[in-house]
Amino acid sequence: MNQILSSNENENRPSPLSKHKNHSRFFKFQFVFCLVGAILCYGYYAYLQYDKNKNEALSHEILHRTNITSLYENVDTNYSSTRVVNDHIYETDGTGFSIVGIIEIKIIGVHYPIINEFRYDLLKIAPCKFFGPNPNEVR
């Protein structure tokens, strides 16, 4: 009987209510953490899509402004093998570049300009020439 009336054992044992509060607090923290992580991931994905669409629009704008015959035509009327001077300079974000040609694959619907120099920021816009001479140049 003495054991039933004693309150020392009840003080040492944690109440089920406090255990429930700890779990509830942990699950709330976990939910908020996952929610913030999901929002950050979605924001990063949206930024990447925006950047891709911006570069795609720039590539198509360059493609529509470029005349392929003006890239390779000779100014001379004697049809000698003269070097073609590519004076079509385009600028984006303060960097200038020129177009060497156009790549077109009709089966899969690919139309892109080919940029004269290789840089990673230009590679996001269109394919770049990595190595070799310019058109109408001997290596």
PDB file of all heavy atoms in Angstrom, residues 17-43:
ATOM      1  N   LEU A  17       2.160  12.722 -22.189  1.00  0.00           N
ATOM      2  CA  LEU A  17       1.825  13.978 -22.837  1.00  0.00           C
ATOM      3  C   LEU A  17       3.081  14.734 -23.270  1.00  0.00           C
ATOM      4  O   LEU A  17       3.140  15.290 -24.356  1.00  0.00           O
ATOM      5  CB  LEU A  17       0.970  14.829 -21.901  1.00  0.00           C
ATOM      6  CG  LEU A  17       0.385  16.102 -22.489  1.00  0.00           C
ATOM      7  CD1 LEU A  17      -0.504  15.742 -23.682  1.00  0.00           C
ATOM      8  CD2 LEU A  17      -0.402  16.863 -21.450  1.00  0.00           C
ATOM      9  N   SER A  18       4.126  14.737 -22.452  1.00  0.00           N
ATOM     10  CA  SER A  18       5.366  15.439 -22.814  1.00  0.00           C
ATOM     11  C   SER A  18       6.080  14.720 -23.959  1.00  0.00           C
ATOM     12  O   SER A  18       6.707  15.352 -24.801  1.00  0.00           O
ATOM     13  CB  SER A  18       6.286  15.558 -21.607  1.00  0.00           C
ATOM     14  OG  SER A  18       6.743  14.283 -21.205  1.00  0.00           O
ATOM     15  N   LYS A  19       5.995  13.415 -23.995  1.00  0.00           N
ATOM     16  CA  LYS A  19       6.590  12.649 -25.093  1.00  0.00           C
ATOM     17  C   LYS A  19       5.896  13.003 -26.406  1.00  0.00           C
ATOM     18  O   LYS A  19       6.537  13.178 -27.440  1.00  0.00           O
ATOM     19  CB  LYS A  19       6.460  11.165 -24.787  1.00  0.00           C
ATOM     20  CG  LYS A  19       7.309  10.282 -25.650  1.00  0.00           C
ATOM     21  CD  LYS A  19       7.123   8.841 -25.233  1.00  0.00           C
ATOM     22  CE  LYS A  19       8.438   8.138 -25.223  1.00  0.00           C
ATOM     23  NZ  LYS A  19       8.303   6.725 -24.932  1.00  0.00           N
ATOM     24  N   HIS A  20       4.592  13.148 -26.341  1.00  0.00           N
ATOM     25  CA  HIS A  20       3.819  13.512 -27.528  1.00  0.00           C
ATOM     26  C   HIS A  20       4.186  14.912 -28.002  1.00  0.00           C
ATOM     27  O   HIS A  20       4.271  15.176 -29.202  1.00  0.00           O
ATOM     28  CB  HIS A  20       2.319  13.411 -27.225  1.00  0.00           C
ATOM     29  CG  HIS A  20       1.458  13.828 -28.359  1.00  0.00           C
ATOM     30  ND1 HIS A  20       1.362  13.090 -29.514  1.00  0.00           N
ATOM     31  CD2 HIS A  20       0.655  14.917 -28.527  1.00  0.00           C
ATOM     32  CE1 HIS A  20       0.543  13.699 -30.350  1.00  0.00           C
ATOM     33  NE2 HIS A  20       0.092  14.817 -29.770  1.00  0.00           N
ATOM     34  N   LYS A  21       4.439  15.846 -27.070  1.00  0.00           N
ATOM     35  CA  LYS A  21       4.820  17.211 -27.445  1.00  0.00           C
ATOM     36  C   LYS A  21       6.174  17.234 -28.139  1.00  0.00           C
ATOM     37  O   LYS A  21       6.387  17.978 -29.093  1.00  0.00           O
ATOM     38  CB  LYS A  21       4.842  18.107 -26.210  1.00  0.00           C
ATOM     39  CG  LYS A  21       3.481  18.508 -25.722  1.00  0.00           C
ATOM     40  CD  LYS A  21       3.596  19.455 -24.546  1.00  0.00           C
ATOM     41  CE  LYS A  21       2.231  19.841 -24.040  1.00  0.00           C
ATOM     42  NZ  LYS A  21       2.327  20.733 -22.872  1.00  0.00           N
ATOM     43  N   ASN A  22       7.117  16.424 -27.657  1.00  0.00           N
ATOM     44  CA  ASN A  22       8.435  16.364 -28.289  1.00  0.00           C
ATOM     45  C   ASN A  22       8.342  15.830 -29.711  1.00  0.00           C
ATOM     46  O   ASN A  22       8.978  16.360 -30.615  1.00  0.00           O
ATOM     47  CB  ASN A  22       9.391  15.511 -27.456  1.00  0.00           C
ATOM     48  CG  ASN A  22       9.813  16.206 -26.187  1.00  0.00           C
ATOM     49  OD1 ASN A  22       9.738  17.428 -26.088  1.00  0.00           O
ATOM     50  ND2 ASN A  22      10.239  15.428 -25.210  1.00  0.00           N
ATOM     51  N   HIS A  23       7.564  14.785 -29.908  1.00  0.00           N
ATOM     52  CA  HIS A  23       7.391  14.235 -31.262  1.00  0.00           C
ATOM     53  C   HIS A  23       6.688  15.246 -32.153  1.00  0.00           C
ATOM     54  O   HIS A  23       7.049  15.410 -33.312  1.00  0.00           O
ATOM     55  CB  HIS A  23       6.593  12.926 -31.215  1.00  0.00           C
ATOM     56  CG  HIS A  23       7.383  11.749 -30.757  1.00  0.00           C
ATOM     57  ND1 HIS A  23       8.393  11.204 -31.511  1.00  0.00           N
ATOM     58  CD2 HIS A  23       7.328  11.014 -29.617  1.00  0.00           C
ATOM     59  CE1 HIS A  23       8.921  10.181 -30.861  1.00  0.00           C
ATOM     60  NE2 HIS A  23       8.288  10.034 -29.696  1.00  0.00           N
ATOM     61  N   SER A  24       5.691  15.892 -31.627  1.00  0.00           N
ATOM     62  CA  SER A  24       4.942  16.872 -32.405  1.00  0.00           C
ATOM     63  C   SER A  24       5.849  18.030 -32.818  1.00  0.00           C
ATOM     64  O   SER A  24       5.804  18.481 -33.970  1.00  0.00           O
ATOM     65  CB  SER A  24       3.765  17.394 -31.582  1.00  0.00           C
ATOM     66  OG  SER A  24       3.092  18.402 -32.285  1.00  0.00           O
ATOM     67  N   ARG A  25       6.696  18.508 -31.938  1.00  0.00           N
ATOM     68  CA  ARG A  25       7.631  19.591 -32.238  1.00  0.00           C
ATOM     69  C   ARG A  25       8.641  19.154 -33.306  1.00  0.00           C
ATOM     70  O   ARG A  25       8.950  19.913 -34.225  1.00  0.00           O
ATOM     71  CB  ARG A  25       8.334  19.994 -30.956  1.00  0.00           C
ATOM     72  CG  ARG A  25       8.852  21.398 -30.989  1.00  0.00           C
ATOM     73  CD  ARG A  25       9.407  21.827 -29.663  1.00  0.00           C
ATOM     74  NE  ARG A  25       8.308  21.985 -28.692  1.00  0.00           N
ATOM     75  CZ  ARG A  25       8.438  21.837 -27.400  1.00  0.00           C
ATOM     76  NH1 ARG A  25       9.598  21.508 -26.883  1.00  0.00           N
ATOM     77  NH2 ARG A  25       7.412  22.008 -26.590  1.00  0.00           N
ATOM     78  N   PHE A  26       9.142  17.937 -33.193  1.00  0.00           N
ATOM     79  CA  PHE A  26      10.089  17.418 -34.178  1.00  0.00           C
ATOM     80  C   PHE A  26       9.446  17.297 -35.554  1.00  0.00           C
ATOM     81  O   PHE A  26      10.041  17.667 -36.563  1.00  0.00           O
ATOM     82  CB  PHE A  26      10.632  16.056 -33.723  1.00  0.00           C
ATOM     83  CG  PHE A  26      11.515  15.411 -34.753  1.00  0.00           C
ATOM     84  CD1 PHE A  26      12.788  15.897 -35.002  1.00  0.00           C
ATOM     85  CD2 PHE A  26      11.054  14.322 -35.489  1.00  0.00           C
ATOM     86  CE1 PHE A  26      13.596  15.302 -35.958  1.00  0.00           C
ATOM     87  CE2 PHE A  26      11.851  13.724 -36.436  1.00  0.00           C
ATOM     88  CZ  PHE A  26      13.128  14.214 -36.676  1.00  0.00           C
ATOM     89  N   PHE A  27       8.219  16.795 -35.614  1.00  0.00           N
ATOM     90  CA  PHE A  27       7.547  16.638 -36.905  1.00  0.00           C
ATOM     91  C   PHE A  27       7.209  17.991 -37.526  1.00  0.00           C
ATOM     92  O   PHE A  27       7.278  18.152 -38.743  1.00  0.00           O
ATOM     93  CB  PHE A  27       6.292  15.785 -36.768  1.00  0.00           C
ATOM     94  CG  PHE A  27       6.591  14.328 -36.520  1.00  0.00           C
ATOM     95  CD1 PHE A  27       5.919  13.622 -35.535  1.00  0.00           C
ATOM     96  CD2 PHE A  27       7.546  13.666 -37.266  1.00  0.00           C
ATOM     97  CE1 PHE A  27       6.202  12.298 -35.305  1.00  0.00           C
ATOM     98  CE2 PHE A  27       7.842  12.330 -37.046  1.00  0.00           C
ATOM     99  CZ  PHE A  27       7.170  11.637 -36.055  1.00  0.00           C
ATOM    100  N   LYS A  28       6.887  18.977 -36.721  1.00  0.00           N
ATOM    101  CA  LYS A  28       6.645  20.322 -37.250  1.00  0.00           C
ATOM    102  C   LYS A  28       7.928  20.907 -37.837  1.00  0.00           C
ATOM    103  O   LYS A  28       7.926  21.492 -38.914  1.00  0.00           O
ATOM    104  CB  LYS A  28       6.096  21.243 -36.150  1.00  0.00           C
ATOM    105  CG  LYS A  28       4.652  21.009 -35.822  1.00  0.00           C
ATOM    106  CD  LYS A  28       4.179  21.951 -34.732  1.00  0.00           C
ATOM    107  CE  LYS A  28       2.762  21.626 -34.322  1.00  0.00           C
ATOM    108  NZ  LYS A  28       2.300  22.474 -33.217  1.00  0.00           N
ATOM    109  N   PHE A  29       9.030  20.734 -37.104  1.00  0.00           N
ATOM    110  CA  PHE A  29      10.313  21.204 -37.617  1.00  0.00           C
ATOM    111  C   PHE A  29      10.673  20.499 -38.921  1.00  0.00           C
ATOM    112  O   PHE A  29      11.116  21.131 -39.882  1.00  0.00           O
ATOM    113  CB  PHE A  29      11.417  20.976 -36.572  1.00  0.00           C
ATOM    114  CG  PHE A  29      12.797  21.214 -37.115  1.00  0.00           C
ATOM    115  CD1 PHE A  29      13.253  22.493 -37.323  1.00  0.00           C
ATOM    116  CD2 PHE A  29      13.623  20.140 -37.433  1.00  0.00           C
ATOM    117  CE1 PHE A  29      14.522  22.723 -37.833  1.00  0.00           C
ATOM    118  CE2 PHE A  29      14.887  20.352 -37.940  1.00  0.00           C
ATOM    119  CZ  PHE A  29      15.340  21.652 -38.139  1.00  0.00           C
ATOM    120  N   GLN A  30      10.484  19.204 -38.965  1.00  0.00           N
ATOM    121  CA  GLN A  30      10.793  18.429 -40.163  1.00  0.00           C
ATOM    122  C   GLN A  30       9.918  18.872 -41.338  1.00  0.00           C
ATOM    123  O   GLN A  30      10.398  18.994 -42.458  1.00  0.00           O
ATOM    124  CB  GLN A  30      10.590  16.946 -39.867  1.00  0.00           C
ATOM    125  CG  GLN A  30      11.097  16.038 -40.935  1.00  0.00           C
ATOM    126  CD  GLN A  30      10.948  14.573 -40.532  1.00  0.00           C
ATOM    127  OE1 GLN A  30      10.193  14.243 -39.625  1.00  0.00           O
ATOM    128  NE2 GLN A  30      11.664  13.710 -41.217  1.00  0.00           N
ATOM    129  N   PHE A  31       8.637  19.137 -41.090  1.00  0.00           N
ATOM    130  CA  PHE A  31       7.733  19.597 -42.153  1.00  0.00           C
ATOM    131  C   PHE A  31       8.157  20.958 -42.691  1.00  0.00           C
ATOM    132  O   PHE A  31       8.220  21.162 -43.903  1.00  0.00           O
ATOM    133  CB  PHE A  31       6.295  19.653 -41.622  1.00  0.00           C
ATOM    134  CG  PHE A  31       5.329  20.218 -42.613  1.00  0.00           C
ATOM    135  CD1 PHE A  31       4.921  19.475 -43.704  1.00  0.00           C
ATOM    136  CD2 PHE A  31       4.838  21.509 -42.462  1.00  0.00           C
ATOM    137  CE1 PHE A  31       4.037  19.984 -44.624  1.00  0.00           C
ATOM    138  CE2 PHE A  31       3.956  22.038 -43.368  1.00  0.00           C
ATOM    139  CZ  PHE A  31       3.553  21.280 -44.466  1.00  0.00           C
ATOM    140  N   VAL A  32       8.477  21.885 -41.800  1.00  0.00           N
ATOM    141  CA  VAL A  32       8.900  23.220 -42.232  1.00  0.00           C
ATOM    142  C   VAL A  32      10.219  23.138 -42.993  1.00  0.00           C
ATOM    143  O   VAL A  32      10.397  23.794 -44.028  1.00  0.00           O
ATOM    144  CB  VAL A  32       9.005  24.171 -41.012  1.00  0.00           C
ATOM    145  CG1 VAL A  32       9.675  25.471 -41.386  1.00  0.00           C
ATOM    146  CG2 VAL A  32       7.631  24.427 -40.432  1.00  0.00           C
ATOM    147  N   PHE A  33      11.146  22.328 -42.519  1.00  0.00           N
ATOM    148  CA  PHE A  33      12.433  22.160 -43.200  1.00  0.00           C
ATOM    149  C   PHE A  33      12.240  21.607 -44.609  1.00  0.00           C
ATOM    150  O   PHE A  33      12.835  22.101 -45.569  1.00  0.00           O
ATOM    151  CB  PHE A  33      13.334  21.242 -42.367  1.00  0.00           C
ATOM    152  CG  PHE A  33      14.696  21.057 -42.946  1.00  0.00           C
ATOM    153  CD1 PHE A  33      15.634  22.063 -42.847  1.00  0.00           C
ATOM    154  CD2 PHE A  33      15.030  19.873 -43.593  1.00  0.00           C
ATOM    155  CE1 PHE A  33      16.904  21.892 -43.391  1.00  0.00           C
ATOM    156  CE2 PHE A  33      16.282  19.686 -44.134  1.00  0.00           C
ATOM    157  CZ  PHE A  33      17.230  20.709 -44.030  1.00  0.00           C
ATOM    158  N   CYS A  34      11.407  20.593 -44.750  1.00  0.00           N
ATOM    159  CA  CYS A  34      11.158  20.004 -46.074  1.00  0.00           C
ATOM    160  C   CYS A  34      10.411  20.977 -46.980  1.00  0.00           C
ATOM    161  O   CYS A  34      10.667  21.034 -48.186  1.00  0.00           O
ATOM    162  CB  CYS A  34      10.378  18.702 -45.931  1.00  0.00           C
ATOM    163  SG  CYS A  34      11.347  17.360 -45.228  1.00  0.00           S
ATOM    164  N   LEU A  35       9.497  21.746 -46.428  1.00  0.00           N
ATOM    165  CA  LEU A  35       8.757  22.726 -47.211  1.00  0.00           C
ATOM    166  C   LEU A  35       9.680  23.819 -47.736  1.00  0.00           C
ATOM    167  O   LEU A  35       9.617  24.172 -48.925  1.00  0.00           O
ATOM    168  CB  LEU A  35       7.642  23.340 -46.359  1.00  0.00           C
ATOM    169  CG  LEU A  35       6.684  24.276 -47.080  1.00  0.00           C
ATOM    170  CD1 LEU A  35       5.877  23.501 -48.105  1.00  0.00           C
ATOM    171  CD2 LEU A  35       5.768  24.944 -46.078  1.00  0.00           C
ATOM    172  N   VAL A  36      10.570  24.319 -46.904  1.00  0.00           N
ATOM    173  CA  VAL A  36      11.535  25.329 -47.346  1.00  0.00           C
ATOM    174  C   VAL A  36      12.475  24.740 -48.398  1.00  0.00           C
ATOM    175  O   VAL A  36      12.789  25.377 -49.404  1.00  0.00           O
ATOM    176  CB  VAL A  36      12.313  25.893 -46.138  1.00  0.00           C
ATOM    177  CG1 VAL A  36      13.504  26.728 -46.581  1.00  0.00           C
ATOM    178  CG2 VAL A  36      11.395  26.711 -45.263  1.00  0.00           C
ATOM    179  N   GLY A  37      12.927  23.512 -48.191  1.00  0.00           N
ATOM    180  CA  GLY A  37      13.780  22.854 -49.187  1.00  0.00           C
ATOM    181  C   GLY A  37      13.082  22.674 -50.515  1.00  0.00           C
ATOM    182  O   GLY A  37      13.675  22.896 -51.577  1.00  0.00           O
ATOM    183  N   ALA A  38      11.816  22.290 -50.496  1.00  0.00           N
ATOM    184  CA  ALA A  38      11.062  22.116 -51.745  1.00  0.00           C
ATOM    185  C   ALA A  38      10.869  23.449 -52.456  1.00  0.00           C
ATOM    186  O   ALA A  38      10.983  23.527 -53.687  1.00  0.00           O
ATOM    187  CB  ALA A  38       9.711  21.471 -51.446  1.00  0.00           C
ATOM    188  N   ILE A  39      10.602  24.521 -51.711  1.00  0.00           N
ATOM    189  CA  ILE A  39      10.441  25.836 -52.328  1.00  0.00           C
ATOM    190  C   ILE A  39      11.754  26.305 -52.948  1.00  0.00           C
ATOM    191  O   ILE A  39      11.762  26.855 -54.058  1.00  0.00           O
ATOM    192  CB  ILE A  39       9.902  26.847 -51.290  1.00  0.00           C
ATOM    193  CG1 ILE A  39       8.451  26.514 -50.956  1.00  0.00           C
ATOM    194  CG2 ILE A  39      10.017  28.276 -51.794  1.00  0.00           C
ATOM    195  CD1 ILE A  39       7.897  27.305 -49.802  1.00  0.00           C
ATOM    196  N   LEU A  40      12.871  26.080 -52.264  1.00  0.00           N
ATOM    197  CA  LEU A  40      14.174  26.456 -52.822  1.00  0.00           C
ATOM    198  C   LEU A  40      14.490  25.659 -54.086  1.00  0.00           C
ATOM    199  O   LEU A  40      14.994  26.217 -55.061  1.00  0.00           O
ATOM    200  CB  LEU A  40      15.261  26.268 -51.775  1.00  0.00           C
ATOM    201  CG  LEU A  40      15.269  27.273 -50.634  1.00  0.00           C
ATOM    202  CD1 LEU A  40      16.342  26.910 -49.614  1.00  0.00           C
ATOM    203  CD2 LEU A  40      15.489  28.674 -51.149  1.00  0.00           C
ATOM    204  N   CYS A  41      14.203  24.374 -54.086  1.00  0.00           N
ATOM    205  CA  CYS A  41      14.454  23.550 -55.275  1.00  0.00           C
ATOM    206  C   CYS A  41      13.585  24.000 -56.439  1.00  0.00           C
ATOM    207  O   CYS A  41      14.053  24.087 -57.582  1.00  0.00           O
ATOM    208  CB  CYS A  41      14.205  22.073 -54.968  1.00  0.00           C
ATOM    209  SG  CYS A  41      15.472  21.330 -53.947  1.00  0.00           S
ATOM    210  N   TYR A  42      12.323  24.298 -56.175  1.00  0.00           N
ATOM    211  CA  TYR A  42      11.430  24.767 -57.228  1.00  0.00           C
ATOM    212  C   TYR A  42      11.883  26.124 -57.761  1.00  0.00           C
ATOM    213  O   TYR A  42      11.851  26.367 -58.960  1.00  0.00           O
ATOM    214  CB  TYR A  42       9.991  24.866 -56.721  1.00  0.00           C
ATOM    215  CG  TYR A  42       9.057  25.394 -57.768  1.00  0.00           C
ATOM    216  CD1 TYR A  42       8.668  24.607 -58.845  1.00  0.00           C
ATOM    217  CD2 TYR A  42       8.583  26.702 -57.707  1.00  0.00           C
ATOM    218  CE1 TYR A  42       7.838  25.096 -59.826  1.00  0.00           C
ATOM    219  CE2 TYR A  42       7.757  27.204 -58.678  1.00  0.00           C
ATOM    220  CZ  TYR A  42       7.376  26.402 -59.743  1.00  0.00           C
ATOM    221  OH  TYR A  42       6.567  26.909 -60.716  1.00  0.00           O
ATOM    222  N   GLY A  43      12.347  27.009 -56.889  1.00  0.00           N
ATOM    223  CA  GLY A  43      12.851  28.313 -57.325  1.00  0.00           C
ATOM    224  C   GLY A  43      14.086  28.176 -58.195  1.00  0.00           C
ATOM    225  O   GLY A  43      14.229  28.874 -59.203  1.00  0.00           O
TER     226      GLY A  43
END
